[in-house]
Amino acid sequence: MEKALIIALDFNSLEEVTAFLDQFQEEKLFVKVGMELFYSAGPSIITEIKKRGHQIFLDLKLHDIPNTVKQAMKVLAKLDVDLVNVHAAGGKWMMEAALAGLQEGTQEGKQRPAIIAVTQLTSTTEEDMQHDQRIPLTLEQSVLSYATLASEAGLDGVVCSTHEVEAIHGKLGNDFLTVTPGIRMADDDTHDQKRIATPEKARLLGTNSIVVGRSITKATSPVEAYRLVKKAWEGTN
């Protein structure tokens, strides 16, 4: 998967998504369909976005017993999305099963979707992790442990914050994907995100792809906002 600016479609209906995408006549986008949108609109949302020629990160964060995740991934592979994910906390066996399901479900002649594992959510602080999850590590140590497990399971990369990117690439190499949400422009509201960064900072830290939502989707001019973020991300402004 090439470096990408992924737009989180923070909507809950097909109508809202099409109205948003209608504004992009020249750009081919990489968009994220999360739980709210997928559960509301169903698989038809994937078909509609693909008809427009955009790439899709289907962000459902699967976490269940290995066989259930494997069978679910076989179904998701048939949707022709480009990127999917699981929770690394499900363990190595579950992640291996997820990858196997994707491989089995991908149609012959097509490339299987890339698969990454969620490490620690960008809304989680170190104090939250230690208190709520009872993990007696630093946040970076926990993320690196999950990333190593995902690599051993054969996954393509992880979801992490920008703060852990250098440590992950230092241990697992630059080809192991880091996809970082929590990206905001310098003057944007942080909302519920705790471990955030600007597109420029993410680029300098070496992350492979960034996920940007409200900074684009809630902007007065989403197309103009997208182009500004893209310039910052690519270092061309």
Side-chain angles (χ1 to χ4, degrees), residues 84-231:
V84 295
N85 63 357
V86 296
H87 265 293
K92 185 178 177 181
W93 185 15
M94 187 205 77
M95 288 189 278
E96 289 174 337
L99 177 57
L102 271 187
Q103 291 169 331
E104 290 179 23
T106 300
Q107 295 178 0
E108 187 175 349
K110 290 199 171 186
Q111 184 175 352
R112 72 158 174 83
I115 177 172
I116 56 179
V118 177
T119 53
Q120 290 287 352
L121 300 174
T122 51
S123 58
T124 300
T125 66
E126 186 165 286
E127 182 180 8
D128 292 336
M129 180 197 73
Q130 293 173 346
H131 180 270
D132 298 344
Q133 301 177 32
R134 300 299 186 190
I135 296 177
L137 302 171
T138 67
L139 196 53
E140 182 177 288
Q141 288 171 333
S142 173
V143 170
L144 192 56
S145 175
Y146 278 139
T148 302
L149 199 63
S151 176
E152 291 173 353
L155 270 58
D156 301 298
V158 290
V159 181
C160 63
S161 85
T162 55
H163 304 289
E164 297 93 36
V165 166
E166 289 183 310
I168 290 170
H169 284 166
K171 182 172 184 180
L172 302 172
N174 291 329
D175 290 337
F176 188 73
L177 300 177
T178 51
V179 177
T180 54
I183 303 298
R184 298 283 189 272
M185 298 301 277
D187 55 352
D188 286 345
D189 193 322
T190 62
H191 296 284
D192 55 352
Q193 303 278 18
K194 303 289 177 62
R195 288 145 55 229
I196 63 173
T198 63
E200 294 94 336
K201 183 69 171 176
R203 170 171 50 82
L204 292 172
L205 289 171
T207 192
N208 297 103
S209 295
I210 58 173
V211 180
V212 183
R214 286 166 282 205
S215 296
I216 295 173
T217 58
K218 304 303 181 186
T220 304
S221 173
V223 175
E224 196 59 39
Y226 167 77
R227 290 173 180 167
L228 285 172
V229 174
K230 191 168 186 286
K231 286 181 179 179

Side-chain angles (χ1 to χ4, degrees), residues 41-65:
S44 62
I45 192 69
I46 305 300
T47 304
E48 176 61 31
I49 295 170
K50 276 293 179 178
K51 273 197 319 188
R52 295 167 179 256
H54 305 306
Q55 292 180 280
I56 300 174
F57 170 20
L58 184 55
D59 177 26
L60 299 182
K61 302 181 180 71
L62 300 190
H63 186 174
D64 211 312
I65 62 172

